[in-house]
Amino acid sequence: MLPPALLAHTAAVLSQLAPTKTGGPHGLLRAAGALVGATIPQLGALSAARRPALLRGPRAEALPTAFALESPANGLCCMAGPALVTGAGAALGPAFGMALATALVGAAGWPSPPSAVQHARRQPKPSAGTRAVRCCGRPSRHSSG
């Protein structure tokens, strides 16, 4: 879910930057700006939802510590990120500031390959009385009874 959302947000930013450089109509810029705002992924909520999945089983006791460390990290990003992007935009131009913001959102949200591999290893084994079926292109397990 997150990679398509990040790609949609990047495309929305590009759709706003293109008419900005060519002097497009204000209505088009407003619509593109609304699209940028509508497609930005909520990384804080998504990362908080990932923690319980990553810290299961014997590592579950580390979950409160992970949440305690994540909270100030999110706060720091929410305070420093806009200041960094604004400074870069003021010094190097608004398009650079928007590109930097988009790159930071993409880097923060893109799932790393090791976590995807770890997630695949944690998939539960089918239990007796279940059969694997495909739903929406992905395997799903349903009871046969």
Side-chain angles (χ1 to χ4, degrees):
M1 171 84 182
L2 188 56
L6 290 169
L7 292 174
H9 179 65
T10 302
V13 170
L14 292 174
S15 76
Q16 187 175 32
L17 285 177
T20 303
K21 289 299 197 182
T22 61
H26 291 291
L28 182 60
L29 290 172
R30 286 188 189 107
L35 189 60
V36 169
T39 59
I40 190 162
Q42 300 300 314
L43 296 178
L46 290 170
S47 67
R50 264 191 275 186
R51 297 293 169 244
L54 292 173
L55 298 173
R56 288 189 199 162
R59 297 173 56 193
E61 64 190 30
L63 191 59
T65 305
F67 281 131
L69 292 173
E70 182 176 3
S71 180
N74 283 344
L76 177 65
C77 290
C78 288
M79 298 292 280
L84 175 69
V85 168
T86 301
L92 303 170
F96 183 81
M98 285 183 69
L100 177 61
T102 304
L104 290 173
V105 167
W110 198 262
S112 62
S115 67
V117 170
Q118 290 170 354
H119 179 70
R121 287 185 194 146
R122 285 193 304 270
Q123 293 298 316
K125 302 277 189 257
S127 60
T130 62
R131 59 185 168 84
V133 296
R134 294 196 68 79
C135 176
C136 304
R138 299 186 323 190
S140 177
R141 307 223 187 284
H142 293 281
S143 176
S144 61

